[in-house]
Amino acid sequence: MIKCLAIDDEPFALLQLATYIKKIPYLELKGECQSALEAKEIMENEIIDAIFIDINMPDLNGMDFVRSLAIRPIIVFTTAYSEYAIEGYKVDAVDYLLKPFGLDDFRRAAEKVKKQFELEARSYQQTIPTTPALSSEPDNDDTLFLKTEHRMVRISISGIKYIEGMSEYLKIHLEDQKPVVVLYSMKKLEERLPSYFMRIHRSYIINLKKIQEVNKNRVILDAQTYLPIGDLYRDQFTDYLQQRFLGK
């Protein structure tokens, strides 16, 4: 199933998008959002394969939202203004639905999404057996080599702030350089990291040494980084905190 978001600030248009997505058997609707900011919040906690998004929205328009994404899902833009079509293809949108559009138009766009999804899936499978994404030096060395974009990048393990799972990819956030995106399994990486790393959510592994604050159901690593604590991982994380807690 292709996990999707419907994003439109107009309630009727959003309802139409959601209804059409539910009619396509290989699409799974994961959320209905009336703003790009609402969609961003979902995408921080869910793996989303495709978005159907209106361009003209308040606060953050659809085009700027897509440009802001470090790793983009498959994109279909919807809008009433045909002049945005060229801009849409500049950010690799697979289709552009001009309002008002019907179910047949939507089916054609959904087919393009499916083809792109299957193409990317085949590409992942071809890459996995032949190109290890990650290698390491001896255990006493604070080093990992990450294979990304046909090159090997050396990073310091202790410099990792957190790891974000994004479908088949991992986005490794570092202290002193830009994030590195690799094709690798979250579970396999978790097994290779030192004990000061802990998985707190199905999509996040954190460096426990980087925690600044724990606030309700969130771990705060810095002023811009608030990560959720998943229910499946809450007990383990709570045990870690209790072992180090001073106070009444």
Side-chain angles (χ1 to χ4, degrees):
M1 295 289 282
I2 303 172
K3 299 178 178 63
C4 304
L5 288 182
I7 310 167
D8 200 306
D9 64 306
E10 298 178 5
F12 178 77
L14 181 60
L15 176 62
Q16 181 191 45
L17 263 181
T19 300
Y20 286 173
I21 289 173
K22 292 173 183 177
K23 289 180 180 292
I24 307 299
Y26 49 82
L27 299 183
E28 179 183 358
L29 182 63
K30 300 297 291 185
E32 302 173 38
C33 308
Q34 288 191 275
S35 72
L37 297 177
E38 186 180 342
K40 182 178 180 181
E41 184 175 347
I42 293 176
M43 293 174 71
E44 287 173 349
N45 297 284
E46 293 274 357
I47 295 172
I48 300 299
D49 302 310
I51 59 175
F52 295 83
I53 181 169
D54 184 32
I55 292 177
N56 293 286
M57 293 187 294
D59 298 326
L60 180 62
N61 72 48
M63 194 71 68
D64 289 339
F65 171 64
V66 168
R67 290 193 183 105
S68 75
L69 297 174
I71 298 179
R72 294 172 186 167
I74 302 167
I75 304 155
V76 175
F77 282 118
T78 68
T79 184
Y81 302 95
S82 59
E83 60 266 27
Y84 286 115
I86 294 176
E87 291 298 314
Y89 290 118
K90 285 182 179 179
V91 293
D92 298 323
V94 298
D95 208 353
Y96 181 98
L97 289 167
L98 186 62
K99 298 179 180 179
F101 55 86
L103 181 56
D104 287 342
D105 297 318
F106 185 85
R107 286 188 193 278
R108 284 191 286 271
E111 279 296 320
K112 292 180 181 180
V113 169
K114 183 182 179 184
K115 288 179 181 179
Q116 182 64 25
F117 182 80
E118 291 173 345
L119 177 64
E120 292 177 1
R122 286 196 298 269
S123 176
Y124 300 152
Q125 292 303 317
Q126 290 168 1
T127 305
I128 289 170
T130 58
T131 57
L134 198 154
S135 63
S136 65
E137 293 184 349
D139 292 341
N140 60 351
D141 186 39
D142 182 42
T143 296
L144 286 177
F145 286 95
L146 308 178
K147 188 178 190 306
T148 177
E149 297 179 349
H150 310 293
R151 58 195 177 96
M152 298 290 285
V153 178
R154 180 184 183 130
I155 67 167
S156 166
I157 297 174
S158 59
I160 298 173
K161 291 171 61 179
Y162 68 100
I163 297 104
E164 180 180 4
M166 305 184 73
S167 191
E168 289 87 354
Y169 285 99
L170 300 179
K171 186 175 184 181
I172 300 177
H173 297 261
L174 304 162
E175 278 191 318
D176 55 356
Q177 63 190 88
K178 293 181 179 178
V180 177
V181 178
V182 299
L183 180 65
Y184 204 68
S185 159
M186 178 78 92
K187 183 177 180 180
K188 288 182 180 178
L189 180 56
E190 185 179 9
E191 292 170 351
R192 298 190 62 171
L193 290 171
S195 59
Y196 58 84
F197 285 86
M198 182 179 291
R199 192 165 184 173
I200 61 165
H201 187 276
R202 69 186 185 91
S203 298
Y204 296 106
I205 298 172
I206 65 168
N207 184 337
L208 295 168
K209 296 181 179 181
K210 308 299 181 184
I211 297 175
Q212 291 188 2
E213 184 179 336
V214 179
N215 188 339
K216 296 181 180 179
N217 294 323
R218 298 184 299 178
V219 173
I220 301 173
L221 302 183
D222 55 47
Q224 291 78 41
T225 310
Y226 294 67
L227 302 179
I229 303 169
D231 291 339
L232 293 176
Y233 307 91
R234 192 180 312 282
D235 289 346
Q236 180 186 11
F237 185 67
T238 299
D239 288 344
Y240 166 80
L241 294 179
Q242 289 176 342
Q243 291 170 15
R244 290 155 181 82
F245 180 70
L246 293 179
K248 296 181 179 180

